Amino acid sequence: MREGAEMKSAAIMGTAAFALLADQVSKAIAIATLHEQSLVEVTSFFNLTLSFNPGISFGLLRNWVARWPEAAAIAKLGIAALLIFWAMISRRRVEQIGFAATAGGALGNALDRWRQGAVTDFLDLHYNDLHWPTFNLADVAVVLGCFLVLGASLRPDRRAGPSFERQTNSN
């Protein structure tokens, strides 16, 4: 039993570490190769453009976070720790991966905020002149992780035993 728990912990920590590492490496490459507010057209709907977001999602609370970047980073560290805890107690592998990916993404953005007071963004999706706010791989990990957790919550847990509906219909 202990070996299974160790493998589960390693998989969870590995997933979070992968999300964090992919995010930080991609941001380092973006900073080294792109100039702030420059535009590199990759496809007709995808550009690379370097920017720094001092706010939270979509620039919210920009002024507060600019004054207290360490507080925002510490809050994200706490959220990441809570997500890792949820991953550890979850019985569903999809949920474990989702919570771990979300934690890794949160850690990636927290590290940026701690180091430079803003989050590095460089991925720009658009349709004609309509642009989604610029984002990064940490954001991708958070969104994918949330979708995995949501998807897992919508599927019945077969290990939990018969559903309430089946129990009441048998009477």
Side-chain angles (χ1 to χ4, degrees):
M1 182 80 168
R2 183 167 170 86
E3 190 173 303
E6 288 173 4
M7 286 181 59
K8 176 181 171 180
S9 296
I12 289 167
M13 298 310 283
T15 300
F18 177 78
L20 172 62
L21 185 63
D23 173 64
Q24 291 298 298
V25 168
S26 66
K27 287 174 180 173
I29 292 169
I31 289 170
T33 59
L34 300 171
H35 300 289
E36 193 168 356
Q37 300 304 325
S38 66
L39 180 76
V40 176
E41 287 186 46
V42 178
T43 69
S44 62
F45 60 87
F46 176 64
N47 300 328
L48 298 175
T49 182
L50 183 64
S51 64
F52 298 92
N53 180 0
I56 300 178
S57 298
F58 307 114
L60 296 173
L61 303 175
R62 177 183 312 248
N63 293 334
W64 182 85
V65 174
R67 282 191 301 260
W68 302 93
E70 296 85 6
I74 290 169
K76 284 204 177 204
L77 288 173
I79 290 167
L82 182 62
L83 290 166
I84 293 293
F85 171 75
W86 278 338
M88 295 292 194
I89 64 172
S90 174
R91 294 184 301 160
R92 296 177 177 195
R93 180 166 303 282
V94 173
E95 276 185 350
Q96 294 166 4
I97 293 167
F99 284 130
T102 304
L107 290 171
N109 284 341
L111 187 57
D112 278 11
R113 197 166 308 287
W114 190 273
R115 271 194 347 255
Q116 60 200 27
V119 173
T120 303
D121 290 323
F122 61 95
L123 303 172
D124 174 30
L125 287 175
H126 62 91
Y127 176 74
N128 294 327
D129 290 333
L130 301 171
H131 288 258
W132 185 256
T134 309
F135 59 100
N136 56 51
L137 289 185
D139 300 330
V140 172
V142 168
V143 169
L144 288 176
C146 288
F147 276 124
L148 289 173
V149 171
L150 178 62
S153 72
L154 296 175
R155 291 187 63 208
D157 188 355
R158 293 188 178 123
R159 292 178 287 185
S163 70
F164 176 77
E165 188 176 294
R166 279 187 260 156
Q167 289 175 359
T168 57
N169 287 339
S170 64
N171 291 334

